[in-house]
């Protein structure tokens, strides 16, 4: 019992906080891991051929877009904010890049010129994402308006511009060179999946090992205290939304490769799923705590549920309903657990 | 004139007074630019087409004041509407039973939200996102996305309370949706300003711990706030089916953000404890005027979303900046005081 007390005291103190900030051990999510193993076992037993290379391949094709968008959501969530404009930003970047590629590359454009045109398109998309991120960040940091409102406004604005300019129709005809590169596989893994892996590692490193990342977690815990500890919270906030937008740009490049077209309407239903995945993965919706590992674990769980239900032949709507129930269930267990493990609460 | 001075000062302190100013400016501009705008017929028409959103916004306003947020109300409205439509069209049940059942379902869904938020301790935005995906997905699954067109006459018949025809032949009609909206607004206003529950809801949103210590029953308040929103959502759902004459399961889906922006535009704070019924109505009026005015001006409807986005950004920034210059804000991070 004595070590239990010590452990609790330690967790409440600064060491506990730092341990949570600097932790990040993949085994740190026993509940989620158990849930994942249970689900895989259930589906493997009931669906012949579920545990196969083909399922894994399909998983690696399906997860990158949602994964990148979830990363873009998690970075502001850790600071206690939210970025509702991620889908809008991604779509606008994809539209701009598709437009530039279409304008510069004709049927008789040579390989070298095509590569240059694609690079130009990527550069323009990156610049657009950076501008959106800087403006959003500046609005959040310098007006003090709640991020839900700011990003609701930017979402509406960006979506509006995209729909106005395209009249809601998709831009298709992405050059073959681009889609070929985007759909190539390396060691049996799709390019897009590798992009997700690299970005996950990068974001994880930034959030966990840099002063910027620690500042993000501190802002999420208590912005006022962070400001008094000589951290320029406004600059950090601008950086957070810039980072979120840049992740949207990466998501846009993946989206172009997957869909071979761009539209203002794509992936709109993913917005709430990214929040769901983040919270399921242990990101505190009030900010301060959250790990990329947990997010990826949660995404894997959601995707396993989705492909399992799919192979049962169940409707997508049931999958979505079950995702919601999973989230409620996980949160309920988190609430009830303290009462189960500590019947006599020390106090 | 000291009294006029004082009045001006009091007006300036009201958050919605600048909104009224904006509405007047936009109204003046639109009536000068679009001749059809400033006619009674057009204005009443405008009111009717935004009545459903207004009822939703009034319900959401109560939850926002209590310090929470709810995204699931559009799904609740759809579920209540569709169940009532099934009872009316398939089972041929009488009107009061269908309406009663619809309202009951909405209230029950709201109370379920309150249970998740209060007793299971899930943050309100997360709980409502989860509930939204559960209820809306189940509705789409069981309905197969099919609409119900054969609604009974008692539901879809226009009910006109008062009408007049002007010299040009334009018909001005006060119809049921407008009356329902006005009654809902008065009831909400009475509840929030003239009852103990209303005061306690403001207290809860302002400082939950203080509200608990002065003896407010937090659990009951949560049930009141979310149950009320559920009730209003169901009412809005029934009203929407009345207006369009059919029940489409996905018709209300996607209005969440527009309603939320109207409520917030009207001065309801996402941090809780702040907001007024007139303010919320002003928010709805401004959005309605902008959409209608742009239509009359012949601006593409695609453009409307850009205008909404700019309006939200500019108005919220102005509100926060102007309140900040007057007094130090209670909660600088602007985080919700309670989930």
């Amino acid at each position: 019992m004595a070590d239990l007390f010590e452990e609790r005291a330690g967790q409440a103190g600064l060491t506990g906080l730092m341990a949570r900030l600097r932790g990040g051990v993949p085994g740190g999510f026993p509940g989620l891991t158990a849930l994942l193993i249970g689900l895989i076992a259930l589906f493997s037993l009931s669906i012949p051929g579920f545990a196969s290379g083909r399922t894994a391949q399909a998983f690696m094709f399906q997860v990158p877009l949602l994964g990148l968008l979830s990363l873009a959501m998690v970075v502001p969530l850790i600071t206690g904010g939210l970025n509702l404009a991620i889908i809008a930003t991604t779509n606008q970047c994809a539209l701009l890049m598709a437009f530039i590629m279409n304008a510069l590359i004709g049927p008789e454009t040579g390989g070298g010129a095509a590569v240059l045109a694609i690079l130009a398109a990527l550069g323009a998309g990156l610049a657009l994402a950076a501008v959106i991120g800087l403006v959003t960040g500046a609005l959040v940091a310098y007006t003090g308006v709640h991020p839900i409102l700011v990003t609701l406004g930017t979402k509406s604005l960006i979506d509006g511009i995209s729909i106005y300019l395209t009249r809601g129709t998709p831009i298709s005809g992405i050059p073959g060179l681009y889609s070929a590169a985007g759909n190539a596989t390396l060691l049996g893994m799709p390019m897009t999946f590798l992009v997700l892996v690299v970005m996950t590692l990068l974001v994880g490193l930034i959030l966990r090992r840099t002063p910027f990342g620690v500042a993000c977690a501190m802002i999420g815990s208590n912005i006022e205290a962070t400001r008094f500890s000589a951290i320029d919270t406004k600059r950090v906030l601008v950086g957070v939304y810039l980072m979120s937008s840049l992740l949207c740009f990466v998501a846009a490049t993946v989206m172009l490769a997957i869909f071979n077209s761009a539209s203002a309407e794509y992936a709109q239903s993913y917005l709430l799923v990214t929040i769901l995945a983040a919270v399921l993965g242990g990101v505190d919706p009030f900010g301060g705590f959250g790990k990329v590992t947990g997010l990826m674990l949660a995404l894997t769980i959601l995707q396993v549920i989705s492909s399992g239900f799919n192979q049962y032949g169940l409707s997508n709507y049931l999958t979505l309903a079950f995702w919601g129930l999973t989230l409620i269930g996980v949160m309920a267990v988190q609430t009830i657990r303290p009462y189960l493990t500590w019947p006599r609460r020390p106090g | 004139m000291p009294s006029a001075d004082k009045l001006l000062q009091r007006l300036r302190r009201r958050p919605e007074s600048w909104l009224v100013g904006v509405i007047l400016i936009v109204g003046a501009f639109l009536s000068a630019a679009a001749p059809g705008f400033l006619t009674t017929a057009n204005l009443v028409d405008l009111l009717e087409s935004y009545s459903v959103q207004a009822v939703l916004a009034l319900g959401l306003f109560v939850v926002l004041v209590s310090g929470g947020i709810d995204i699931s109300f559009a799904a609740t409205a759809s579920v209540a509407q569709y169940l009532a439509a099934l009872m009316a069209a398939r089972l041929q049940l009488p009107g009061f039973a269908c309406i009663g059942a619809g309202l009951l379902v909405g209230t029950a869904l709201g109370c379920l939200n309150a249970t998740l938020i209060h007793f299971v301790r899930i943050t309100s935005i997360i709980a409502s996102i989860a509930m939204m995906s559960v209820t809306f997905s189940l509705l789409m699954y069981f309905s197969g996305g099919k609409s119900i067109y054969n609604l009974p006459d008692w539901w879809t018949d226009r009910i006109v309370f008062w009408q007049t025809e002007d010299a040009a032949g334009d018909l001005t009609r006060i119809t049921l949706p407008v009356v329902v909206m006005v009654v809902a607004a008065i009831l909400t206003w009475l509840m929030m300003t003239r009852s103990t529950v209303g005061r306690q809801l403001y207290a809860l949103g302002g400082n939950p711990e203080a509200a608990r210590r002065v003896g407010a029953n937090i659990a009951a308040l949560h049930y009141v706030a979310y149950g009320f929103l559920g009730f209003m959502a169901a009412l809005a759902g029934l009203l929407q089916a009345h207006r369009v004459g059919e029940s489409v399961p996905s018709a209300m889906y996607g209005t969440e953000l527009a309603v939320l922006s109207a409520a917030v535009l009207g001065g309801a704070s996402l941090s809780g404890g702040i907001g007024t019924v007139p303010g919320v109505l002003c928010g709805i009026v401004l959005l309605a005027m902008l959409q209608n005015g742009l239509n009359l001006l012949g601006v593409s409807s695609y453009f409307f979303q850009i205008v909404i986005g700019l309006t939200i950004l500019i108005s919220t920034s102005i509100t926060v900046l102007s309140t900040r210059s007057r007094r130090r804000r209670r909660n600088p991070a602007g985080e919700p005081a309670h989930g």
Side-chain angles (χ1 to χ4, degrees):
Chain A
M1 220 36 207
D3 3 348
L4 260 186
F5 281 127
E6 258 183 271
E7 202 186 311
R8 286 204 86 203
Q11 268 174 3
L14 189 66
T15 33
L17 172 72
M18 291 319 278
R20 278 182 89 170
L21 287 180
R22 299 223 175 255
V25 196
F29 296 90
L32 284 182
T33 316
L35 180 62
L36 178 60
I37 294 173
L39 280 169
I40 293 180
L42 176 74
F43 287 137
S44 308
L45 288 177
S46 57
I47 305 168
F50 181 81
S52 67
R54 188 125 61 83
T55 311
Q57 189 94 31
F59 169 81
M60 285 190 278
F61 271 109
Q62 283 159 0
V63 90
L65 182 58
L66 184 57
L68 287 167
L69 290 171
S70 303
L71 281 177
M73 182 62 92
V74 158
V75 179
L77 263 179
I78 284 181
T79 64
L82 204 64
N83 189 354
L84 293 174
I86 49 172
I87 311 286
T89 310
T90 306
N91 281 332
Q92 193 160 69
C93 285
L95 279 170
L96 179 69
M97 291 192 285
F99 175 76
I100 292 179
M101 285 185 207
N102 275 347
L104 293 183
I105 302 178
E108 66 281 351
T109 314
V115 170
L116 275 183
I118 289 175
L119 285 180
L122 289 177
L126 187 67
L128 176 66
V131 169
I132 293 176
L134 287 174
V135 170
T136 313
L139 281 170
V140 170
Y142 292 98
T143 61
V145 180
H146 193 285
I148 291 184
L149 285 185
V150 171
T151 55
L152 189 66
T154 49
K155 169 198 153 50
S156 193
L157 185 62
I158 299 167
D159 264 342
I161 293 173
S162 299
I163 295 174
Y164 181 63
L165 291 178
T166 61
R167 298 286 183 240
T169 52
I171 299 183
S172 51
I174 303 303
L177 191 63
Y178 184 88
S179 27
N183 290 314
T185 52
L186 191 69
L187 303 172
M189 285 185 284
M191 211 57 175
T192 47
F193 184 72
L194 291 174
V195 170
L196 174 66
V197 171
V198 170
M199 293 319 288
T200 307
L201 290 175
L202 193 65
V203 172
L205 272 180
I206 292 177
L207 288 183
R208 206 145 294 283
R209 299 272 176 249
T210 63
F212 171 78
V214 176
C216 287
M218 286 170 71
I219 286 179
S221 295
N222 188 336
I223 190 167
E224 200 70 343
T226 313
R227 202 156 60 82
F228 285 128
S229 53
I231 288 175
D232 188 345
T233 51
K234 291 183 173 159
R235 254 180 70 183
V236 174
L237 279 179
V238 174
V240 164
Y241 289 90
L242 178 62
M243 192 167 153
S244 175
S245 268
L246 293 182
L247 284 165
C248 290
F249 159 73
V250 181
T253 59
V254 166
M255 190 188 237
L256 276 183
I258 296 174
F259 294 149
N260 268 324
S261 61
S263 159
E265 317 271 333
Y266 286 162
Q268 292 288 1
S269 62
Y270 275 0
L271 181 59
L272 298 176
V273 181
T274 59
I275 301 179
L276 199 148
V279 175
L280 188 62
V283 177
D284 187 339
F286 281 151
F289 302 102
K291 291 178 194 158
V292 173
T293 357
L295 173 69
M296 288 305 142
L297 203 53
L299 276 175
T300 312
I301 289 174
L302 293 181
Q303 200 63 52
V304 165
I305 293 175
S306 161
S307 41
F309 272 40
N310 203 3
Q311 297 197 24
Y312 276 137
L314 297 175
S315 130
N316 280 337
Y317 287 116
L318 274 188
T319 306
L320 203 57
F322 195 73
W323 282 359
L325 286 175
T326 311
L327 180 63
I328 293 175
V330 168
M331 302 284 284
V333 168
Q334 280 172 2
T335 309
I336 297 165
R337 201 167 45 196
Y339 298 98
L340 298 180
T341 44
W342 280 307
R344 284 171 301 159
R345 309 192 74 182
Chain B
M1 289 279 280
S3 63
D5 239 29
K6 214 173 260 173
L7 187 70
L8 203 68
Q9 231 171 21
R10 267 183 66 185
L11 273 180
R12 274 182 48 163
R13 223 176 291 138
R14 308 267 307 183
E16 63 268 21
S17 58
W18 73 267
L19 196 57
V20 173
V22 173
I23 289 174
L24 289 179
I25 293 170
V26 171
F29 170 75
L30 285 177
S31 50
F37 179 75
L38 202 65
T39 59
T40 348
N42 184 48
L43 291 181
V44 172
D45 214 41
L46 201 67
L47 220 54
E48 195 199 306
S49 52
Y50 271 80
S51 52
V52 175
Q53 281 202 19
V55 173
L56 285 174
L58 286 166
L60 181 62
F61 153 76
V62 174
V63 165
L64 288 177
V65 164
S66 80
I69 193 171
D70 192 325
I71 306 285
S72 66
F73 55 85
T76 304
S78 306
V79 172
Q81 182 200 76
Y82 200 80
L83 285 179
L86 274 183
M87 290 174 67
R90 299 276 157 77
L91 304 177
Q92 311 283 349
L93 289 177
F96 68 90
C98 301
I99 295 176
L103 294 178
L104 203 66
V105 166
T107 315
L109 283 174
C111 289
L112 188 56
N113 272 335
T115 309
L116 289 178
I117 289 158
H118 187 82
F119 289 107
V120 190
R121 303 222 168 275
I122 306 182
T123 344
S124 57
I125 187 157
I126 306 301
S128 58
I129 286 175
M131 278 303 290
M132 177 184 86
S133 60
V134 172
T135 51
F136 183 70
S137 306
L138 289 180
L139 173 68
M140 289 304 276
Y141 177 69
F142 285 113
S143 70
K146 285 201 241 358
S147 307
I148 297 176
Y149 297 108
N150 53 338
L151 291 182
D153 294 341
W154 59 260
W155 195 339
T156 53
D157 275 348
R158 285 269 161 276
I159 299 173
V160 179
F161 285 82
W162 182 79
Q163 68 175 21
T164 172
E165 202 176 328
D166 66 7
D170 278 339
L171 207 58
T172 306
R173 302 198 297 187
I174 303 287
T175 49
L176 182 68
V178 177
V179 173
V180 170
M181 175 179 73
V182 171
V183 171
I186 292 172
L187 278 181
T188 314
W189 182 78
L190 281 177
M191 178 176 96
M192 294 309 281
T193 57
R194 294 290 179 271
S195 77
T196 321
V197 173
R199 306 258 172 212
Q200 289 185 339
L201 282 170
Y202 274 104
L204 174 66
N207 189 337
E209 187 54 31
R212 197 179 63 78
R213 289 192 188 181
V214 297
N217 183 345
I218 306 290
L221 288 178
H222 276 132
Y223 277 101
V224 168
Y226 292 93
F228 184 75
L229 172 57
F231 176 86
M232 293 292 257
L235 186 64
L238 297 175
L239 207 58
Q240 196 260 354
H242 164 75
R243 285 198 61 231
V244 299
E246 61 193 37
S247 175
V248 183
S250 58
M252 312 279 292
Y253 193 70
T255 55
E256 298 93 357
L257 294 186
V259 172
L260 183 65
S261 43
V264 167
L265 200 59
S269 164
L270 281 183
S271 334
I274 301 172
T276 61
V277 169
V280 171
L281 291 180
C282 284
I284 287 279
V285 166
L286 182 56
L287 283 188
M289 270 172 56
L290 283 172
Q291 173 144 41
N292 177 262
L294 291 173
N295 273 344
L296 288 177
L297 287 176
V299 179
S300 148
S301 59
Y302 291 116
F303 194 70
F304 180 59
Q305 223 178 348
I306 303 181
V307 175
I308 289 195
L310 281 176
T311 317
I312 298 172
L313 285 178
I314 295 171
S315 67
T316 48
S317 307
I318 291 178
T319 317
V320 169
L321 290 177
S322 66
T323 38
R324 187 196 281 166
S325 65
R326 228 171 298 143
R327 67 184 161 85
R328 194 156 169 72
R329 295 179 58 222
R330 186 184 61 238
N331 187 350
E335 283 161 323
H338 178 86

